[in-house]
Amino acid sequence: MDLVPESVFFILESLGAQIAKINPEYYNEIDGMAGALGIPTNDLLLAQYINELSAFCTSVVAYTPDGTIFHGRNMDFLFEATMRNITYQGEFYRNGTLLYTAAMYAGLNGVPTGWSHEFSISINNRRPSNRTSVTDLLENIGLIFMGYIQNMKLIRDTLQECTTYDCAFKKLAYTPQIAPSYFAIAGSNNKQGAVITKDRLAPAHIDYLTPDNWYVSQTNDDHWTGVCNIRCQWVKDNMDQIGDRKS
């Protein structure tokens, strides 16, 4: 919470009342967790929107010659010691049946990284080098108050509602959401995988695994425009050292 600008606290001080009105079930989940943790509900509610405010990540989806799909990710936060202490693996059931598993953070009800029997998903914050204005932050805040879905809540809903890769892909790509983002998704079948560069309402660009493209990777810039930050270059260098596995 120390990393959240004071201006955001001021703008969002009425967030709780608005969310309780437009999405009471979501608010009640946060309120219940806040009570268990002994912290103010509005503080925990604001923490749910870390991906819409500021976050950094790396995701890679790749396949091996025998068709095995690997989906790896880093959460590139600056306060890693704190994040390690609140990280856990959660299992989510319905009527006694395991729906999906997720790498979670205590106090968050959205899913940054999750997997089922048929697909896996990770999210990356999208902050292209050519789009870092205050206007974008204000747009995100406006959509929060309008009731648009929180990005990591969209992953959670996708894992709960979809039983196939195709369903998950379409839901992630075409569901309106609060902030632009990247979704890395991998399937259980040979060469099912992609990185979806998502605008708020629809895809801006999609990179697919193909017979000629054995991995796709993503950090926090629009690589398809030619921007590749230092973490992006590290990923590419390391993957290229592994070698061409498209055969």
Side-chain angles (χ1 to χ4, degrees), residues 135-152:
T135 302
D136 288 295
L137 177 60
L138 294 177
E139 285 185 38
N140 291 350
I141 292 172
L143 292 178
I144 291 173
F145 278 94
M146 291 173 64
Y148 277 59
I149 193 168
Q150 184 251 359
N151 295 6
M152 290 192 291

Side-chain angles (χ1 to χ4, degrees), residues 41-239:
T41 299
N42 275 1
D43 283 5
L44 190 59
L45 187 61
L46 180 58
Q48 307 305 312
Y49 297 95
I50 186 170
N51 192 266
E52 286 77 9
L53 299 175
S54 179
F56 299 95
C57 320
T58 301
S59 295
V60 180
V61 178
Y63 65 84
T64 61
D66 66 0
T68 301
I69 302 288
F70 286 89
H71 186 168
R73 76 107 85 254
N74 292 338
M75 301 295 282
D76 302 331
F77 289 112
L78 298 176
F79 41 102
E80 66 277 4
T82 298
M83 298 305 291
R84 288 191 185 109
N85 286 337
I86 63 171
T87 302
Y88 68 97
Q89 181 167 298
E91 295 182 345
F92 293 79
Y93 291 81
R94 178 180 292 145
N95 298 325
T97 299
L98 178 65
L99 293 182
Y100 63 94
T101 307
M104 299 288 291
Y105 302 113
L108 298 189
N109 76 342
V111 174
T113 312
W115 57 96
S116 67
H117 292 297
E118 299 300 327
F119 57 87
S120 58
I121 307 169
S122 62
I123 188 170
N124 290 29
N125 181 270
R126 185 182 173 204
R127 297 175 65 86
S129 299
N130 63 352
R131 196 192 71 233
T132 57
S133 70
V134 175
T135 302
D136 288 295
L137 177 60
L138 294 177
E139 285 185 38
N140 291 350
I141 292 172
L143 292 178
I144 291 173
F145 278 94
M146 291 173 64
Y148 277 59
I149 193 168
Q150 184 251 359
N151 295 6
M152 290 192 291
K153 179 66 162 54
L154 175 56
I155 295 181
R156 173 181 156 181
D157 288 354
T158 301
L159 287 161
Q160 288 180 179
E161 298 169 13
C162 288
T163 58
T164 66
Y165 173 86
D166 289 341
C167 169
F169 183 94
K170 291 175 182 176
K171 188 170 182 65
L172 293 171
Y174 298 105
T175 301
Q177 62 190 54
I178 291 170
S181 68
Y182 305 101
F183 293 115
I185 181 170
S188 59
N189 294 325
N190 191 19
K191 299 182 179 62
Q192 280 185 326
V195 171
I196 304 167
T197 301
K198 181 79 175 288
D199 286 335
R200 292 179 175 90
L201 302 181
H205 180 83
I206 302 174
D207 288 312
Y208 295 94
L209 290 181
T210 68
D212 295 317
N213 194 31
W214 72 276
Y215 76 90
V216 290
S217 62
Q218 186 62 55
T219 54
N220 304 104
D221 281 299
D222 289 348
H223 303 155
W224 44 277
T225 65
V227 178
C228 188
N229 61 35
I230 186 65
R231 289 179 294 114
C232 160
Q233 192 58 55
W234 285 340
V235 171
K236 292 183 180 297
D237 289 348
N238 280 291
M239 294 303 289

Side-chain angles (χ1 to χ4, degrees), residues 16 18-33 41 45 94 109 153 156-157 160-161:
Q18 181 68 3
I19 297 297
K21 181 169 61 176
I22 62 179
N23 196 339
E25 182 177 352
Y26 181 75
Y27 179 84
N28 287 338
E29 285 190 7
I30 307 302
D31 188 50
M33 287 192 293
T41 299
L45 187 61
R94 178 180 292 145
N109 76 342
K153 179 66 162 54
R156 173 181 156 181
D157 288 354
Q160 288 180 179
E161 298 169 13

